Amino acid sequence: EKKFQVGHLMYQSKCMYSPNDPSMSQYSTNPSEVRIEGSFVRADPDYIGILQILVSHGDSFDTIGYINEQNNREYCCRESLNSIVDGCALENVGSLIISTNQTNLPPQVLKIQWNDFNQTPYYVDRTFTIEKSGKHILLFSSCLTLTGDVYMTGTVSWRNPYGYLPTDLYHMIELYEALAAGYFVLSLIWITLCYVYYNNQLLPLHYCVVIVTILGVLESIAWYFDSVNFNEIGTRSIFSTVFAAVLSSSKKSLCRSLLLVVYMGYGLLNSDLSVPQHKKAVGFGVFFFILSFINDILRCYSQVVWDKTLTGEFNMLLSIFDVCFFLWLIKEYYSHTANDQKKFQKFSGLLIPYFVFISVILEYATFFYFSWNQ
């Protein structure tokens, strides 16, 4: 259930394909649409009320509202703006300001209006057709003060010609197919090298690498079926998403734990880890698994919820944690090379590309965070 307060604007924005887009030629007979299905109930039905639902292409969104003297955009039409602002006539007071000068596709608007003392839920089943590829904005607007708070119960679905997957995830299906095949081939190569050519020289690390490659195969297959299911029915299956997130988090945490124990000297300088080192490696792996799992779940379900802020913030946190992990690896490597001048000089030469790599990760996380929350 969503609550729309007086003077409140709530929106979603997604990139959509039109059936007429050349890249959608194989799906040209399928519709591309935004569908609103649900009921709207006012908390205070003593007065008249207005709620507007609008779908606009990104190119046309600037025609909604106007820029005031403080250089801020206002969206609601008031009596004081009557005949002063284009799109704000006397009959539009309490509604959105929509310019009458449209050079692109005009916004599609559904107006819900209640009469006095009307507490009957207003049921909506409206489909907005996508006629041009690009970013589209779905806007719920409550401008009239008398309307009061409005509660919505229902669903909002975005359907592209190929299905319900967001455009940024559409090509991930093919990627997961390629990743599954790649991990499978890599697993076969690694297992052949280990058990046929180097059977007498194996360390426990080599067995762990086998587990990582197998997890890669299973993870790619799990994400593939999760994406296909989402594309077909429009919602994510809790089981398939959680299962894929568990496999993905297990692979990522195991990879980092293996990297950590190698930098601690295991298999290179020492034949075993000390108890404190063992606790650090296990503790780090478990902690990173939890963080990665939460991040994957937030990332998946942010596609079907309104507020993506938490997802962007958590992704930033995980990136910072990764940077700290890389610095930890440097510290571990330094502790093993400080007494060896040649190794230390080589280590010092690696610092510059290492910090460049860390900077790139932070830049990416920052870009992802701000673009996610636009």
Side-chain angles (χ1 to χ4, degrees):
E1 184 178 74
K2 294 294 180 183
K3 178 182 179 181
F4 305 102
Q5 298 175 317
V6 176
H8 185 62
L9 299 176
M10 181 174 287
Y11 72 94
Q12 282 183 316
S13 62
K14 292 182 183 292
C15 290
M16 301 287 288
Y17 282 112
S18 164
N20 301 322
D21 193 290
S23 62
M24 293 287 106
S25 58
Q26 58 181 320
Y27 306 107
S28 59
T29 58
N30 297 338
S32 180
E33 59 192 25
V34 181
R35 183 179 180 185
I36 314 293
E37 185 177 9
S39 60
F40 296 82
V41 181
R42 291 193 298 160
D44 184 9
D46 293 339
Y47 303 96
I48 63 172
I50 296 175
L51 179 72
Q52 289 175 287
I53 305 174
L54 176 148
V55 173
S56 171
H57 190 278
D59 293 342
S60 305
F61 196 71
D62 287 341
T63 63
I64 303 170
Y66 83 106
I67 304 297
N68 60 21
E69 296 177 353
Q70 289 74 38
N71 204 33
N72 296 320
R73 181 171 290 276
E74 292 189 27
Y75 293 92
C76 294
C77 178
R78 308 187 307 271
E79 287 189 18
S80 60
L81 301 176
N82 178 31
S83 302
I84 299 175
V85 176
D86 177 37
C88 183
L90 190 60
E91 63 269 18
N92 301 126
V93 172
S95 301
L96 278 171
I97 298 174
I98 302 176
S99 174
T100 57
N101 298 320
Q102 298 286 339
T103 57
N104 296 298
L105 289 173
Q108 304 175 60
V109 184
L110 172 64
K111 187 175 183 179
I112 300 174
Q113 187 164 343
W114 290 273
N115 298 321
D116 296 356
F117 306 107
N118 187 350
Q119 200 171 6
T120 304
Y122 195 108
Y123 182 75
V124 172
D125 187 359
R126 172 67 182 272
T127 299
F128 299 89
T129 303
I130 304 301
E131 300 178 10
K132 180 182 177 182
S133 297
K135 183 178 181 180
H136 283 74
I137 295 93
L138 168 64
L139 182 69
F140 291 85
S141 170
S142 178
C143 288
L144 187 64
T145 305
L146 296 176
T147 303
D149 295 338
V150 180
Y151 294 89
M152 172 191 172
T153 303
T155 59
V156 177
S157 59
W158 300 71
R159 181 179 177 85
N160 279 285
Y162 56 79
Y164 290 99
L165 266 180
T167 53
D168 56 334
L169 299 180
Y170 170 53
H171 296 288
M172 294 299 290
I173 293 180
E174 296 176 354
L175 175 62
Y176 291 136
E177 290 178 336
L179 285 175
Y183 274 118
F184 180 74
V185 172
L186 183 62
S187 299
L188 290 180
I189 293 174
W190 185 262
I191 291 173
T192 301
L193 289 174
C194 289
Y195 293 97
V196 176
Y197 295 99
Y198 302 102
N199 187 37
N200 298 325
Q201 305 175 38
L202 296 181
L203 294 172
L205 284 176
H206 297 98
Y207 297 104
C208 291
V209 173
V210 173
I211 296 175
V212 169
T213 57
I214 293 175
L215 283 174
V217 175
L218 297 177
E219 174 202 13
S220 301
I221 294 174
W223 283 127
Y224 170 81
F225 283 107
D226 180 66
S227 299
V228 169
N229 180 73
F230 184 16
N231 190 52
E232 290 178 353
I233 65 175
T235 58
R236 288 191 179 275
S237 165
I238 295 178
F239 173 78
S240 64
T241 302
V242 170
F243 182 65
V246 167
L247 291 173
S248 177
S249 301
S250 299
K251 188 197 72 175
K252 288 183 283 190
S253 60
L254 180 57
C255 284
R256 284 163 175 78
S257 296
L258 290 177
L259 192 59
L260 179 59
V261 298
V262 169
Y263 271 72
M264 286 178 173
Y266 176 70
L268 299 174
L269 302 175
N270 306 312
S271 59
D272 200 0
L273 294 175
S274 64
V275 174
Q277 288 177 324
H278 185 268
K279 289 182 178 179
K280 287 180 182 179
V282 173
F284 170 81
V286 171
F287 185 66
F288 188 86
F289 172 86
I290 295 172
L291 289 181
S292 179
F293 177 79
I294 295 174
N295 185 65
D296 283 340
I297 295 297
L298 288 175
R299 176 179 55 81
C300 289
Y301 283 96
S302 66
Q303 303 292 338
V304 290
V305 298
W306 291 88
D307 187 11
K308 298 180 180 180
T309 304
L310 180 60
T311 305
E313 292 175 347
F314 203 88
N315 186 78
M316 173 70 80
L317 174 64
L318 191 63
S319 298
I320 293 174
F321 184 78
D322 255 342
V323 169
C324 294
F325 169 67
F326 293 137
L327 293 175
W328 186 10
L329 294 183
I330 290 177
K331 177 181 175 296
E332 291 293 337
Y333 188 82
Y334 172 77
S335 65
H336 294 299
T337 58
N339 297 325
D340 190 320
Q341 190 64 28
K342 291 183 179 180
K343 287 185 178 181
F344 181 72
Q345 289 176 353
K346 184 178 180 180
F347 163 75
S348 301
L350 292 174
L351 286 179
I352 294 178
Y354 220 105
F355 280 110
V356 169
F357 177 66
I358 290 174
S359 300
V360 169
I361 290 179
L362 282 177
E363 288 291 333
Y364 167 76
T366 304
F367 170 78
F368 178 87
Y369 172 73
F370 286 108
S371 63
W372 193 270
N373 293 288
Q374 285 181 349

